[in-house]
Amino acid sequence: MQSNFIMGSDKKYNFSELVDVIEFEELLKSFYEATGIPNALVGADGKIISQVGWIDACALFHRANKESSLQCQESNIFLIKNVSNGKISHSLCKNGLIDYATPIVIEGDVLATLFLGQVLNEAPNIEFFKKQAKKFNYDEDEYLEAINLVPIISKEKIESAMDCVVKMAQMLAKTGLSKIREITLEHNLNQSNQQKIQLNDILDFSPVAISWSDVDGNIEYVNHKFTELFGYTLEDIPNIETWYKKAYSDLKYQKDEMKSLYEVSKLSDEKNKPIPISQREVSIVCKDGSERQVLVSISWLGEKCLANFNDITAHWKSELRNRAHDSMLEMVAKDASLSDILNTIVTNIELEDSTSLCSVLLLDKEGKHLLVGASPSLPDFYNKAIDGTQIGLGVGSCGSAAFLGQRVIAEDIVNHDYWQPYKGLAQKAGLAACWSEPIISSTGKVLGTFAIYHKKTASPNSSDIERITFAANLAAIAIENRNARNELEHRAYSDYLTGLANRRYFIEQAELELSRHNRYESKLSLIMLDIDFFKKINDTYGHNVGDLVLQKIAEVSRSILRDIDIIGRIGGEEFAILLPETSLEDSIKVAERLRVEISNTSVVLENGEVNFTSSFGVVAASKSNIDELLIKADKSLYKAKENGRNRVCTFSE
């Protein structure tokens, strides 16, 4: 096999340069959990990239014995020698198990080799393995028990599974190669403005949106990703002027962009050399009316203009939410009026999607009527009409959401049962869809509703659900502050979803506890836990169920931990627990108790229930800081994940 992958030049690449090996390792772990087939991925340089699912027969017996280990090595050498492009090789190990191997090849070059093995194609020959036990002095009963656990999988099934994994690896590698070629190509274009390169064949496969235009402003090319991202085809935007008119809603910005583009093109032509790449962050209106936040990179090469568009909408929205959260807390701290705070929240949420109109309605003291709290974008006549509405089932989206205490989605107001008495009012206001989220206090009391309206019929996606949930949570904090400012301080230092300490507050408390530990040399331990396959739970059941799982973890943890223990949610599905006056041995017992309790609980749904497990990493504190302690706990947690999940592992150097 070749030692490196060569991309038609002197530059050499390996598998890890083309594929995210951490994500691919997760894929192989999922493959093992789904099929029970142990697997390994070895780079072209002979180094192990990933290895999952060693069975006991090999780990505890064959590899543990010097003589039988040599037999394993001989079998592996034979298997590797017989690996060839496009074929699946297999060999019967002298120790009685079967291994398979095939190369991952791109454009005739080997990037890595995939191994599946430590399996049987049929029921084990017990007499053979009894002889093995006697020959190598194994404990016969334990060895035969391990052999009986070896997966029995047909040759056809393994070869089919191997073919599937190899194709996925090749697909990912090709995508990575396409990205490298795109970057290389752009670099080469900047070296010479006289080069004439046909980009279509390459750029069409780029994961980045790209356009190409001439000095007169005629758009000559847009790639597939460009159309996928914005919806426009080359027929929709034949020239730069048309593009700016459609993509940018601000007329002044359109004119400024056109002027700037013309001046830069003249400069490029006069100096006859490339102009440095310029970058800017802009909001682009898509063909369907939605908006995307994009980082645009523009480079002039003589009379040609190359533009790259990187979608940063998700990151931009995250920043907006962080600013909205911080702004709300600052206004609360400065004792701003509730009306001003709610209007600020509404304005910030509307910034994420210019097609949305948001409002906050508040329940009166009796909890029976809705009053307008903040609704700057809705017509005055509409706000006056709904102000004071009595809640109940069938009273629009907001009246029903407040009555039920749960989200109500009206994708089409005119045809929704709850809106029949009010559809005329909605049509007059130009409203076609309304999604309403109840604003719920920390004690479970409904305080009001947060609504997102649209002028066209619309169904919320997962991002929309996150946005309306986030907005309702922010509003809940602001509303509760009217009655309980100490409560506010608690929320500022706690995770809004679980009620546990947030990362910042956990770190502060942990540093105080560590300083006591370092000074008085008292016992102190740290547990880190992570929900197994949490992304799969969210993808399968939705983020609402994922939130319920996080809340259930918090509930179970509170029921088991002591008052002096400090627990915080420090990541998406990651929790940390500091145990003062607790040895490593005792903290392992606590972690094991938590593990069992979590695995025995579930989230109950209308049509069934969701079960879940967690993995734990445990470390005893030494004279170190909290960052070092968290790193060690994270390493032990990763070891628990590597060894099959739903288990407790401790840190070792």
Side-chain angles (χ1 to χ4, degrees):
M1 291 189 295
Q2 298 182 24
S3 60
N4 288 89
F5 170 71
I6 304 174
M7 191 192 70
S9 69
D10 293 334
K11 175 61 179 174
K12 299 178 179 179
Y13 298 96
N14 56 44
F15 187 81
S16 61
E17 288 180 289
L18 300 179
V19 178
D20 187 324
V21 293
I22 295 178
E23 289 189 3
F24 193 75
E25 184 176 24
E26 287 298 316
L27 185 149
L28 290 179
K29 287 178 182 178
S30 299
F31 170 80
Y32 168 67
E33 288 158 3
T35 65
I37 304 174
N39 59 74
L41 187 67
V42 178
D45 57 2
K47 293 182 179 179
I48 295 175
I49 298 172
S50 173
Q51 182 172 291
V52 182
W54 278 86
I55 64 171
D56 288 349
C58 286
L60 302 181
F61 295 96
H62 299 158
R63 294 286 184 174
N65 181 282
K66 185 176 181 180
E67 291 182 58
S68 57
S69 180
L70 285 174
Q71 293 190 167
C72 288
Q73 293 175 25
E74 290 174 8
S75 299
N76 286 343
I77 291 171
F78 174 80
L79 182 62
I80 291 173
K81 283 183 178 179
N82 286 277
V83 168
S84 61
N85 185 7
K87 295 182 180 179
I88 296 175
S89 301
H90 71 279
S91 70
L92 177 63
C93 173
K94 290 183 179 180
N95 290 315
L97 303 182
I98 300 174
D99 294 304
Y100 293 78
T102 191
I104 296 172
V105 180
I106 299 295
E107 297 184 358
D109 294 288
V110 177
L111 278 82
T113 302
L114 176 69
F115 293 86
L116 301 185
Q118 301 175 358
V119 299
L120 291 168
N121 291 148
E122 57 188 19
N125 183 339
I126 298 300
E127 290 304 317
F128 170 81
F129 291 109
K130 283 183 177 180
K131 291 178 182 178
Q132 284 274 97
K134 185 176 181 180
K135 178 180 179 180
F136 299 117
N137 198 27
Y138 299 153
D139 181 294
E140 182 177 295
D141 292 337
E142 291 183 0
Y143 181 55
L144 293 180
E145 183 180 351
I147 291 298
N148 284 326
L149 294 176
V150 174
I152 300 174
I153 304 171
S154 69
K155 178 175 178 291
E156 292 75 16
K157 182 177 180 181
I158 287 186
E159 290 182 346
S160 175
M162 180 170 268
D163 182 61
C164 178
V165 175
V166 167
K167 284 180 178 177
M168 283 191 285
Q170 289 173 331
M171 177 186 69
L172 293 172
K174 286 178 181 177
T175 300
L177 178 57
S178 175
K179 177 63 176 177
I180 289 175
R181 282 175 167 166
E182 175 201 329
I183 294 171
T184 303
L185 177 60
E186 185 172 338
H187 173 76
N188 291 338
L189 286 173
N190 285 329
Q191 299 302 311
S192 173
N193 64 346
Q194 299 300 320
Q195 282 184 295
K196 302 291 185 180
I197 299 176
Q198 296 300 320
L199 296 174
N200 300 46
D201 292 340
I202 298 176
L203 299 184
D204 259 339
F205 295 98
S206 170
V208 177
I210 296 173
S211 73
W212 182 270
S213 58
D214 64 19
V215 72
D216 295 320
N218 298 308
I219 299 177
E220 298 176 341
Y221 171 81
V222 296
N223 70 346
H224 176 75
K225 187 63 179 181
F226 183 98
T227 301
E228 178 186 308
L229 198 61
F230 305 122
Y232 300 111
T233 64
L234 192 58
E235 288 71 25
D236 297 320
I237 47 171
N239 52 60
I240 294 295
E241 185 175 1
T242 304
W243 160 247
Y244 282 143
K245 286 180 179 178
K246 292 187 175 184
Y248 304 113
S249 55
D250 188 319
L251 294 177
K252 183 179 183 302
Y253 186 80
Q254 291 177 22
K255 293 179 180 178
D256 291 343
E257 280 290 287
M258 288 294 295
K259 181 180 178 182
S260 173
L261 195 69
Y262 176 73
E263 290 174 350
V264 171
S265 66
K266 279 189 63 178
L267 183 62
S268 176
D269 187 49
E270 290 168 1
K271 293 188 176 182
N272 195 30
K273 66 179 183 179
I275 300 298
I277 295 175
S278 65
Q279 288 189 327
R280 66 195 71 184
E281 185 179 320
V282 298
S283 180
I284 289 181
V285 180
C286 301
K287 188 174 181 178
D288 64 2
S290 63
E291 291 188 23
R292 288 186 180 275
Q293 203 70 11
V294 178
L295 184 64
V296 183
S297 301
I298 298 177
S299 57
W300 275 94
L301 309 169
E303 296 184 349
K304 301 294 181 181
C305 178
L306 178 68
N308 289 351
F309 303 83
N310 284 286
D311 185 13
I312 58 170
T313 306
H315 176 72
W316 175 74
K317 287 183 178 180
S318 177
E319 286 189 342
L320 276 182
R321 292 180 189 180
N322 287 335
R323 287 200 295 268
H325 180 268
D326 294 343
S327 175
M328 185 275 298
L329 290 181
E330 183 179 359
M331 293 182 74
V332 167
K334 292 180 178 179
D335 204 24
S337 69
L338 179 61
S339 176
D340 287 344
I341 295 172
L342 294 180
N343 271 289
T344 298
I345 293 173
V346 165
T347 301
N348 280 318
I349 297 302
E350 287 179 341
L351 281 175
E352 289 192 27
D353 180 1
S354 63
T355 67
S356 64
L357 310 169
C358 301
S359 76
V360 175
L361 300 180
L362 305 175
L363 271 176
D364 61 11
K365 292 181 179 179
E366 290 74 29
K368 294 182 178 180
H369 299 85
L370 289 171
L371 308 174
V372 175
S375 187
S377 300
L378 293 174
D380 287 340
F381 75 84
Y382 184 84
N383 290 330
K384 290 177 181 178
I386 64 173
D387 192 41
T389 300
Q390 184 171 343
I391 66 173
L393 189 63
V395 183
S397 296
C398 294
S400 301
F403 179 77
L404 296 170
Q406 62 187 37
R407 184 183 307 128
V408 172
I409 303 296
E411 301 164 346
D412 180 0
I413 285 177
V414 172
N415 296 307
H416 197 282
D417 290 343
Y418 292 173
W419 275 90
Q420 292 312 300
Y422 311 97
K423 65 180 181 181
L425 178 66
Q427 286 177 310
K428 183 179 178 182
L431 305 175
C434 179
W435 318 328
S436 183
E437 182 82 10
I439 300 171
I440 300 177
S441 74
S442 56
T443 59
K445 180 183 178 182
V446 176
L447 303 174
T449 61
F450 191 100
I452 297 180
Y453 293 87
H454 284 275
K455 294 185 176 182
K456 296 180 180 179
T457 57
S459 303
N461 56 32
S462 59
S463 178
D464 293 321
I465 296 299
E466 287 179 4
R467 181 161 63 110
I468 196 170
T469 302
F470 171 78
N473 283 325
L474 277 189
I477 296 174
I479 295 167
E480 283 193 284
N481 178 61
R482 290 184 302 176
N483 303 318
R485 288 290 301 271
N486 292 334
E487 179 64 15
L488 176 66
E489 184 178 354
H490 167 72
R491 281 178 171 268
Y493 288 98
S494 66
D495 173 55
Y496 74 93
L497 184 63
T498 63
L500 302 178
N502 59 23
R503 183 181 182 89
R504 182 181 70 176
Y505 189 62
F506 176 84
I507 296 296
E508 290 176 359
Q509 295 301 302
E511 286 176 339
L512 290 174
E513 202 61 47
L514 268 172
S515 65
R516 295 191 191 99
H517 161 76
N518 292 335
R519 183 174 181 181
Y520 300 109
E521 298 184 351
S522 57
K523 296 176 183 177
L524 182 66
S525 296
L526 178 72
I527 297 173
M528 188 175 288
L529 70 99
D530 185 279
I531 303 171
D532 297 330
F533 304 113
F534 187 67
K535 183 179 183 300
K536 186 176 181 181
I537 293 174
N538 278 333
D539 291 345
T540 303
Y541 301 101
H543 288 274
N544 284 346
V545 174
D547 289 349
L548 293 175
V549 170
L550 292 170
Q551 291 168 347
K552 182 64 72 172
I553 292 284
E555 177 185 334
V556 170
S557 300
R558 287 194 192 99
S559 69
I560 290 176
L561 298 174
R562 305 167 299 178
D563 290 339
I564 64 170
D565 298 331
I566 303 169
I567 178 171
R569 182 185 175 202
I570 62 172
E573 65 268 25
E574 202 170 60
F575 300 77
I577 305 168
L578 202 66
L579 304 172
E581 302 299 328
T582 307
S583 65
L584 179 63
E585 293 74 17
D586 288 337
S587 62
I588 292 172
K589 293 177 182 177
V590 173
E592 185 62 28
R593 186 181 171 196
L594 274 170
R595 184 192 69 77
V596 172
E597 191 66 23
I598 288 170
S599 65
N600 288 334
T601 192
S602 64
V603 169
V604 180
L605 306 178
E606 290 182 359
N607 56 349
E609 60 182 22
V610 179
N611 296 296
F612 45 90
T613 62
S614 292
S615 299
F616 294 75
V618 184
V619 60
S622 57
K623 289 199 172 183
S624 57
N625 58 44
I626 185 60
D627 290 333
E628 293 170 340
L629 200 60
L630 286 171
I631 290 172
K632 291 179 179 179
D634 190 63
K635 286 182 178 179
S636 56
L637 172 61
Y638 184 77
K639 184 164 66 174
K641 293 278 190 182
E642 249 188 340
N643 286 277
R645 295 181 169 83
N646 190 23
R647 62 189 64 226
V648 176
C649 286
T650 57
F651 176 79
S652 58
E653 295 291 351

